[in-house]
Every structure is written in structure tokens, then in C-alpha cells.
Amino acid sequence: MTMPPRLRKLALIVHVTSSVGWLGAVLAFLALSVIGLTSQDPATVRGVYLVMEPAAWYALVPLAFAALLTGIVQSLGTPWGLIRHYWVLFKLLINVVATAVLLIYMGTFRSMAHMAADPEAELSLVRNFSPVLHSVLALIVLLLAMVLAVYKPRGVTPFGQRKQRAQSESRSAPGAVSVPQV
């Protein structure tokens, strides 16, 4: 069922906003991670790792879920479909995997925050390269999803091929009455 044009545009705006917001939040986490690794001020280093967990819960996680849910709504409400085209399927897979990795990584954020909160912990133990690595990987993955959305490479899944065949057969059948899809 395709959405009416106004609703489809609204859903697209919400999807693009949440997806770009997620990308921006990952960039902010990359900046925080670099600050945590390079700052000479112990309070700044500890503060960076203390703020990552709540910031992830209030920014990264909601934006990841918003991008996932709005992407599903977009695909189901447009002719692209959820499993008709490989690029849509790959974007779905990227989003599901990235969101799952983020949820798993939340435990690491919690551990880093506990370490940073301990005033007795040495600064070398508080510093952690992991958020830099995960932020860079997340950026690459999210940019790949963006490239797929913009370029929409060709390729129809077997399900999509069957749908196309069925639609062309119903249109070319003698005496067939064209019924608009809803």
C-alpha cells in the first residue's frame, strides 16, 4: 500500500532527519573520543567518559531506532518495498546490525563510565581507544547506507522479480481491466 504523496514526504523528512541526526551524533562521539584520548586535563578525560553513556542513551539509541522504524515505514509505504530491491534490503540490514552493535556496546559505555567515576583509577586506565574505533566504523557504515539511498543501485530481489512479472502479466492480459493499486 503506497502512502499519499503528502504523508510519504513527511515520512521521508522524518527518516532523513533521524538518519542524518544519527550520523551527526556519531561524529560528536568521535570528537568526544578523540578528546578523551588526547586531553592532558584529568577532569576533561574523566568527564568525556562519564558523559558518553547517558549521551548514547539519549541521542544515539533513539536516533538509531527512529532511523530503523522510519526506514521500514518508508519502504512499506512506497513502491520500493521492503524486500523488492537489494539496496533497500542492504540498508535495512545495515541499520539492524548497526543498532544491535550499538545496544551491545552500551555495556562498554557503562564500564568506561564506572572506571572514569573512580577517582582512584589511573588516567591511563580510564582512556580507551574503543570509542574512536567504533565511531569510525559506525561512520563508514552509516555513510554506506547514505550512498545506497542516494544512488539506489540496480538489482531486484527474487521476490521483487516475481512482483514485477505478476504486475506486467496482469497489465498485458487480454480484456484485463487496469485496477489502480492501493
Side-chain angles (χ1 to χ4, degrees):
M1 175 177 157
T2 33
M3 294 184 277
R6 282 186 162 182
L7 182 58
R8 189 172 56 237
K9 286 179 183 178
L10 175 63
L12 179 61
I13 289 169
V14 174
H15 179 63
V16 169
T17 301
S18 60
S19 298
V20 171
W22 189 12
L23 188 66
V26 169
L27 278 169
F29 268 76
L30 178 58
L32 283 173
S33 302
V34 170
I35 292 167
L37 282 178
T38 59
S39 177
Q40 299 305 312
D41 179 26
T44 299
V45 173
R46 291 180 189 282
V48 162
Y49 293 106
L50 284 170
V51 79
M52 281 186 181
E53 183 189 14
W57 279 118
Y58 289 109
L60 288 176
V61 172
L63 288 167
F65 276 105
L68 176 61
L69 294 175
T70 58
I72 291 170
V73 167
Q74 271 295 108
S75 67
L76 293 175
T78 63
W80 293 110
L82 187 60
I83 56 174
R84 288 184 188 176
H85 299 270
Y86 282 114
W87 72 269
V88 177
L89 204 54
F90 289 147
K91 275 192 67 181
L92 174 65
L93 182 65
I94 286 169
N95 202 316
V96 166
V97 169
T99 302
V101 168
L102 173 61
L103 291 174
I104 293 166
Y105 196 70
M106 292 306 295
T108 303
F109 281 137
R110 185 174 36 258
S111 297
M112 290 186 304
H114 286 302
M115 180 68 77
D118 181 3
E120 301 299 316
E122 291 184 35
L123 213 51
S124 62
L125 296 175
V126 173
R127 293 183 198 273
N128 194 329
F129 184 73
S130 176
V132 172
L133 177 64
H134 281 85
S135 294
V136 168
L137 293 174
L139 277 176
I140 291 168
V141 166
L142 294 175
L143 287 172
L144 173 62
M146 188 179 298
V147 167
L148 286 171
V150 171
Y151 286 99
K152 297 174 181 51
R154 291 184 188 183
V156 181
T157 65
F159 173 79
Q161 290 171 354
R162 284 192 302 274
K163 281 285 241 192
Q164 284 177 344
R165 250 189 319 274
Q167 286 175 348
S168 69
E169 288 171 3
S170 70
R171 278 186 251 137
S172 64
V177 176
S178 178
V179 178
Q181 288 184 338
V182 277

